[in-house]
Amino acid sequence: MGHFTTKGKLFREGADLSAFGSLDVTVTAAGTTVEQTAPPSLPDADGVSRSFLYWDTGRRITGKRKVRWTFNHPTNWSEWPAAAFYGIPPTGTGGMARVVVDAHWVGTGPINPTPIDGPGSTFVNGPGGTPIAWPGDGDDHIVRTQWGAATIHAKDHLQRNMGDPLLDFSSWQQLVYGGDAAGYFEENDDDITPGGGVTGIANSTSPFFTVAQNSSSFLLAGYVVPVKSGIDIFKKLIEVIRAYDLGKFIDKGDPSPEDIIRLKLISESLDVVRGGTVTDFDAFEGLLGAARKMKQTDLKRTIAGTKATLLRGQAVLKTLEALAKKTKPRK
C-alpha cells in the first residue's frame, strides 16, 4: 500500500498554493494509474496570478502540465509526494538578453545555491572583457548572452546547507511560464525496491545546456539524493591497505591471517560506534582454519604477528579503561 499526494506550491517560497486541486490517493493495486493536469495559472493567497512552471513528480522535474503516474509496485514505498510549482513572470527586464538559472532538490523544493559551474562553462564577455557575462550583474544565478552564446555546465554536486546531503545533478529543464500543454509526462515506480523509498532518477540529461547569443531563458537544474549501496567496511579496509599501506605488513600479497584479524577488529569497532551489529564471521576462528593449512614458516610468522596484535589490543584496552575511569557519568 502506498500513499500518493499532490500539491500546488509557490516558486521559490515553497508555500502551499491553496487554489490548487490537491490529490490524496491510497494506492493498493499494482497497475494503478493517476493523472493530473496542472492549471496554467492560479491566484495565490493575495490574489496575485501565478503561472505554472514545472512539476516535481517526486522523482524528476518536467515542464509539462500533465503528468501520468503508473504505480506497479505500491508495496515498495509508503509516501509519494508530488508538487506543481507556480511563479510570477518577470517584468521590467528592459529586453536584456540573459539566462536565469535556479536549482531544485527533487522531492524537497527549490534550493538557493547556484547550480552554475563557472570554470566548466563557456561564456562570452563584453568588449575588452567587461562587463562579464557571468555572474551577470553580480548575480551568480544570471548569465548574460548579448555578446555571444553561453554553454552552461551544471555542478555535478550541490548542497543546500551544511548537514544536508550532497546532491547529484539529475537534469536540466527549460521552463516556460504557463507550462507545456502538449502531451503528458510519464512517471512510474518500476525500479523502486522494497525499503528503498522514493528516490530521484539521476541519469536524465547532459549537464551542459547551450543558449544562443541574444537569447533569454529560464533554466532549472534538478538535483537528487544519490542512491547509496551497502558498504562492506571490512572489504574497503583491505582495499585501502592494498593501495596505500602494503609496507606495514609482512605479506606482500593478500592480507595475512593476522592482518585479517586487525581489519576485522577495526571493522567491528566501527560497526559498534555507528550503532550497527557486527557480522557473524569470527576472525579468530578464521585464523585457526587458515593456520591448519599453513607451512611451518608461515605458522611461526602468523604466531608472531598475532602476538603483536594482541599486545596492541591490550595496550589500547588499558587506555580505554583509564579513560572510562576519568569520565564522570552525567547526572
Side-chain angles (χ1 to χ4, degrees), residues 180-196:
D180 180 359
Y184 64 91
F185 184 81
E186 178 70 45
E187 188 61 276
N188 62 68
D189 63 351
D190 285 346
D191 61 344
I192 295 179
T193 57

Side-chain angles (χ1 to χ4, degrees), residues 36-314:
Q36 186 167 22
T37 301
S41 63
L42 289 171
D44 62 19
D46 297 323
V48 177
S49 180
R50 298 269 186 153
S51 294
F52 173 83
L53 276 173
Y54 64 97
W55 270 103
D56 174 345
T57 69
R59 308 197 70 195
R60 290 177 284 188
I61 54 176
T62 176
K64 289 188 175 295
R65 286 178 28 223
K66 183 178 181 180
V67 179
R68 176 183 295 170
W69 292 266
T70 301
F71 300 121
N72 295 313
H73 310 280
T75 58
N76 289 358
W77 49 273
S78 56
E79 296 290 333
W80 186 309
F85 284 83
Y86 286 74
I88 301 176
T91 58
T93 59
M96 181 184 295
R98 65 178 189 172
V99 183
V100 179
V101 184
D102 274 289
H104 182 89
W105 178 352
V106 176
T108 299
I111 53 179
N112 291 327
T114 179
I116 299 175
D117 171 21
S121 304
T122 302
F123 308 118
V124 179
N125 298 323
T130 55
I132 60 174
W134 181 83
D137 305 320
D139 188 337
D140 61 6
H141 288 69
I142 294 176
V143 178
R144 298 174 68 174
T145 62
Q146 57 263 53
W147 307 290
T151 298
I152 303 172
H153 181 265
K155 291 178 180 177
D156 295 330
H157 309 287
L158 208 62
Q159 188 176 31
R160 180 178 60 179
N161 296 305
M162 290 296 295
D164 287 327
L166 190 63
L167 307 174
D168 286 351
F169 172 76
S170 174
S171 65
W172 278 116
Q173 183 68 48
Q174 187 169 18
L175 303 181
V176 178
Y177 285 93
D180 180 359
Y184 64 91
F185 184 81
E186 178 70 45
E187 188 61 276
N188 62 68
D189 63 351
D190 285 346
D191 61 344
I192 295 179
T193 57
V198 178
T199 55
I201 297 175
N203 57 347
S204 297
T205 65
S206 166
F208 291 95
F209 197 101
T210 299
V211 182
Q213 182 177 3
N214 289 320
S215 296
S216 296
S217 188
F218 187 6
L219 303 181
L220 187 70
Y223 284 83
V224 298
V225 176
V227 179
K228 296 181 180 180
S229 58
I231 298 175
D232 186 338
I233 293 181
F234 189 34
K235 180 179 178 182
K236 191 68 176 177
L237 286 169
I238 293 176
E239 291 174 353
V240 171
I241 289 170
R242 282 175 173 165
Y244 301 108
D245 221 7
L246 282 177
K248 292 185 178 180
F249 293 91
I250 300 173
D251 195 330
K252 294 298 190 290
D254 289 337
S256 62
E258 64 268 23
D259 298 338
I260 295 296
I261 288 182
R262 295 171 193 161
L263 293 172
K264 177 60 178 174
L265 293 175
I266 294 171
S267 174
E268 290 186 352
S269 297
L270 290 174
D271 285 337
V272 170
V273 169
R274 294 180 308 172
T277 56
V278 299
T279 60
D280 293 332
F281 173 71
D282 189 309
F284 290 99
E285 287 184 3
L287 175 62
L288 290 175
R292 294 187 178 96
K293 301 177 183 178
M294 291 181 187
K295 297 178 181 178
Q296 190 66 23
T297 54
D298 292 334
L299 184 58
K300 289 181 179 180
R301 187 193 65 190
T302 298
I303 291 172
T306 303
K307 285 182 178 178
T309 298
L310 293 175
L311 288 173
R312 290 177 185 175
Q314 288 173 354

